[in-house]
Amino acid sequence: MAREELTRLTGNGNGTCGQDDCPNVYRTASGSFVVQGDVSQAFNAPDGEGLVEIPEETLREAFRVLGW
C-alpha cells in the first residue's frame, strides 16, 4: 500500500510536527488505521508486527478529525 492511498488524519500543520514526517495516524480505504511513530522496544512483538510510540496529542488530533 502506498502512502498516497492513505488519508492522513494528523500532522497537517496543527501539531508540533507540522508537515514533517513524524508521528502520524492514517486511515485506510477499508477503515483501519496505520500509525507512524518512533520504534519502541517495550517488548518483542510477534513476527510480522511492530511497535511504535506516538504522543498523546497525535491521538487526540486524530480523534478530533474523526469527530470522536
Side-chain angles (χ1 to χ4, degrees):
M1 172 181 315
R3 185 183 296 197
E4 293 78 26
E5 298 175 64
L6 303 171
T7 300
R8 187 173 178 168
L9 300 176
T10 59
N12 293 314
N14 298 327
T16 57
C17 294
Q19 296 289 335
D20 295 336
D21 281 345
C22 53
N24 280 298
V25 178
Y26 301 85
R27 193 165 201 180
T28 68
S30 66
S32 62
F33 297 93
V34 175
V35 178
Q36 174 186 350
D38 294 328
V39 175
S40 174
Q41 302 298 324
F43 62 89
N44 292 326
D47 286 344
E49 295 183 7
L51 303 173
V52 297
E53 281 188 52
I54 60 170
E56 180 179 329
E57 90 174 36
T58 303
L59 286 178
R60 288 183 183 275
E61 183 181 353
F63 294 158
R64 182 188 54 74
V65 168
L66 292 168
W68 294 359

